[in-house]
Amino acid sequence: MNTWHAGRPSALAVVVPAHNEAAELPAALGSLRRAADHPELVGLPLVLVVVADACDDATAAVATAWGASVVDIRSRNVGAARAAGVARALEVLGTAGERAWIVTTDADTLVPPRWLAHHLHHARQGWHGVVGTVRLRRGPELSARAVARAQARYFAGRPVPPLPWGHPHVHGANLGIGAGPYRAAGGFPALTHGEDRALVAALDRLGHQVLRTDACPVWTSGRLDPRAPHGFGVALRCLLEEPAGASEAPPRSGAPRA
């Protein structure tokens, strides 16, 4: 596999867009802090940027208290927010940003302790992008039946483990990309939804090596009042509003629980 740069990634840039996420953000940033303490990251520069987009709550103050660099914008546009966060992170990193590995997640998402190490491992293997999966965090809005329906739809077509799953999903909550391929693909477009899919599609068109893996999923909230229009939460709500039986195909054997 051809690598997109000479040598290993020089730094990590972690970007979290947020719109009125003061309540969810501490847990998300706490999980990122634990991931940043992984021994495989020792000595590697890391910049964490939270983009407070059109916030009228304490999102920016919470992010600052957790040691994040904060970008304040008024776009109400998740694509613009992710792009602004990447731009700030690469600016802070300076020359190290030229060979940085960029990872994005969401303010209502918890990452596992090995998440950053997982992305770094694949970056060092020469992958240009890593597209991961999500799991639902059970909340008061979601019944066990609702979670089962969502799981059946999400894992449709998944082979029985340990066979790898080149899944069809793209989530800004679990996405990594090298700085060079990111620039070549034009970065995140200023879209109110689907900015993650558009970026990955641009990588594919340019022939970059993109790994789709279920090896290190993140845990996202199952809330039905999502911040992004037409985003994951809206798709979840639409799924749950379908007539009974429309999505009742059982998950394949070995499919992990949501």
Side-chain angles (χ1 to χ4, degrees):
M1 181 189 304
N2 294 326
T3 56
W4 56 271
H5 57 67
R8 296 182 174 185
S10 58
L12 282 171
V14 185
V15 175
V16 183
H19 170 65
N20 290 343
E21 293 282 16
E24 293 277 359
L25 199 53
L29 296 181
S31 72
L32 284 169
R33 177 177 288 179
R34 288 187 289 274
D37 287 337
H38 195 283
E40 291 186 26
L41 274 63
V42 172
L44 190 70
L46 185 152
V47 172
L48 169 62
V49 177
V50 172
V51 183
D53 185 8
C55 295
D56 53 20
D57 69 350
T59 291
V62 170
T64 299
W66 278 85
S69 176
V70 177
V71 178
D72 194 348
I73 66 174
R74 310 301 297 178
S75 299
R76 194 63 178 94
N77 181 299
V78 67
R82 290 195 201 277
V86 173
R88 168 65 65 83
L90 297 183
E91 176 187 7
V92 171
L93 287 170
T95 57
E98 296 176 5
R99 294 191 294 110
W101 185 259
I102 301 160
V103 287
T104 74
T105 189
D106 289 337
D108 66 339
T109 298
L110 307 180
V111 306
R114 66 186 184 93
W115 186 65
L116 291 173
H118 160 81
H119 275 272
L120 185 62
H121 168 74
H122 292 298
R124 286 171 171 169
Q125 287 187 323
W127 290 99
H128 301 171
V130 174
V131 182
T133 54
V134 303
R135 300 291 187 271
L136 282 176
R137 285 190 283 135
R138 176 80 177 274
E141 296 177 283
L142 293 179
S143 66
R145 181 179 179 83
V147 171
R149 291 186 69 185
Q151 173 180 297
R153 175 68 63 85
Y154 191 82
F155 293 112
R158 185 181 192 269
V160 177
L163 293 176
W165 184 32
H167 62 86
H169 309 293
V170 179
H171 304 285
N174 192 356
L175 183 61
I177 180 174
Y182 176 83
R183 293 188 181 100
F188 284 107
L191 300 175
T192 57
H193 63 93
E195 80 295 340
D196 41 12
R197 292 188 295 275
L199 176 57
V200 172
L203 291 173
D204 288 336
R205 287 195 300 271
L206 292 172
H208 287 295
Q209 300 291 328
V210 177
L211 174 66
R212 291 174 176 267
T213 175
D214 187 44
C216 192
V218 300
W219 292 85
T220 192
S221 71
R223 64 188 180 191
L224 302 180
D225 59 338
R227 299 299 187 263
H230 309 292
F232 182 74
V234 173
L236 178 62
R237 187 172 64 217
C238 292
L239 171 64
L240 301 184
E241 291 172 353
E242 289 180 358
S247 304
E248 298 300 326
R252 285 177 172 266
S253 173
R257 292 188 178 273

